[in-house]
């Protein structure tokens, strides 16, 4: 039975090839041509995308260089500015270093008030809301 089936299948295949073989070959050739065109379009699209990626990377690199240049310029200006230890600022610094007696009195009284408050809070009953 399997022999008969294989023979019938091959006969049917031969008849179809005899009748439609030329058409099938023409379709396959047209398909190959169209696939070649698609490959070419795909290759062109990939080349364009690659150019765009390279341009974006160049832009990023330019941005990095500009940022680094700005940082270097900022650091140069920071070096030129006078600092606390600079001789030009020393008189102002010496004035600021002298104690202000009125400030010390106010600060001392404020610290004393804070200490009194913390003592009062510690002396309160600490039941934390639980009934005894």
């Amino acid at each position: 039975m399997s022999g008969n089936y294989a023979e019938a299948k091959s006969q049917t295949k031969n008849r179809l090839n005899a009748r439609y073989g030329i058409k099938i070959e023409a379709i396959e050739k047209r398909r190959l041509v169209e696939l070649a065109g698609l490959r070419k379009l795909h290759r062109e699209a990939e080349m364009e995308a690659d150019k765009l990626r390279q341009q974006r990377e160049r832009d990023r690199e330019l941005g990095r260089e500009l940022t680094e240049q700005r940082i270097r310029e900022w650091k140069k200006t920071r070096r030129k500015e006078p600092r606390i230890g600079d001789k030009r600022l020393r008189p102002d610094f010496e004035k600021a270093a002298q104690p202000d007696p009125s400030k010390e009195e106010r600060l001392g009284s404020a610290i004393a008030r804070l200490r009194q408050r913390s003592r009062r809070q510690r002396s309160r009953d600490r039941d934390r809301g639980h009934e005894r």
Side-chain angles (χ1 to χ4, degrees):
M1 182 149 155
S2 67
N4 288 338
Y5 174 74
E7 188 177 330
K9 185 178 175 183
S10 68
Q11 286 177 358
T12 306
K13 187 176 179 181
N14 289 336
R15 277 186 261 152
L16 287 173
N17 280 336
R19 184 170 182 185
Y20 298 108
I22 297 171
K23 290 181 181 178
I24 291 172
E25 287 177 11
I27 290 171
E28 286 177 354
K29 285 180 184 177
R30 194 172 3 150
R31 180 178 173 270
L32 289 175
V33 170
E34 288 176 3
L35 280 175
L38 285 175
R39 285 188 193 107
K40 182 180 177 185
L41 287 175
H42 182 71
R43 198 174 318 118
E44 290 172 359
E46 280 297 315
M47 289 172 62
E48 276 296 315
D50 192 40
K51 286 179 185 176
L52 287 174
R53 283 190 290 269
Q54 289 175 0
Q55 180 63 42
R56 281 196 307 257
E57 184 57 34
R58 281 192 295 270
D59 292 344
R60 282 189 210 110
E61 188 61 31
L62 180 64
R64 283 185 210 113
E65 289 174 6
L66 288 173
T67 303
E68 288 174 4
Q69 182 181 359
R70 288 179 187 155
I71 290 171
R72 283 193 301 271
E73 290 172 2
W74 177 79
K75 285 182 179 180
K76 284 180 186 176
T77 59
R78 295 284 297 165
R79 281 188 222 133
K80 293 177 184 175
E81 290 179 4
R83 296 187 180 155
I84 291 176
D86 197 353
K87 291 179 183 175
R88 290 175 282 173
L89 290 181
R90 195 163 286 157
D92 295 335
F93 181 71
E94 288 171 357
K95 286 179 191 174
Q98 293 174 355
D100 184 10
S102 62
K103 236 186 223 183
E104 286 183 9
E105 290 173 8
R106 287 186 299 213
L107 185 60
S109 62
I111 292 173
R113 282 194 302 267
L114 287 173
R115 286 183 182 151
Q116 285 177 347
R117 282 186 203 158
S118 66
R119 285 186 198 129
R120 275 190 240 138
Q121 287 174 352
R122 277 188 244 144
S123 66
R124 290 184 186 161
D125 187 23
R126 297 192 178 195
D127 64 350
R128 290 185 178 38
H130 301 287
E131 292 185 22
R132 295 180 186 220

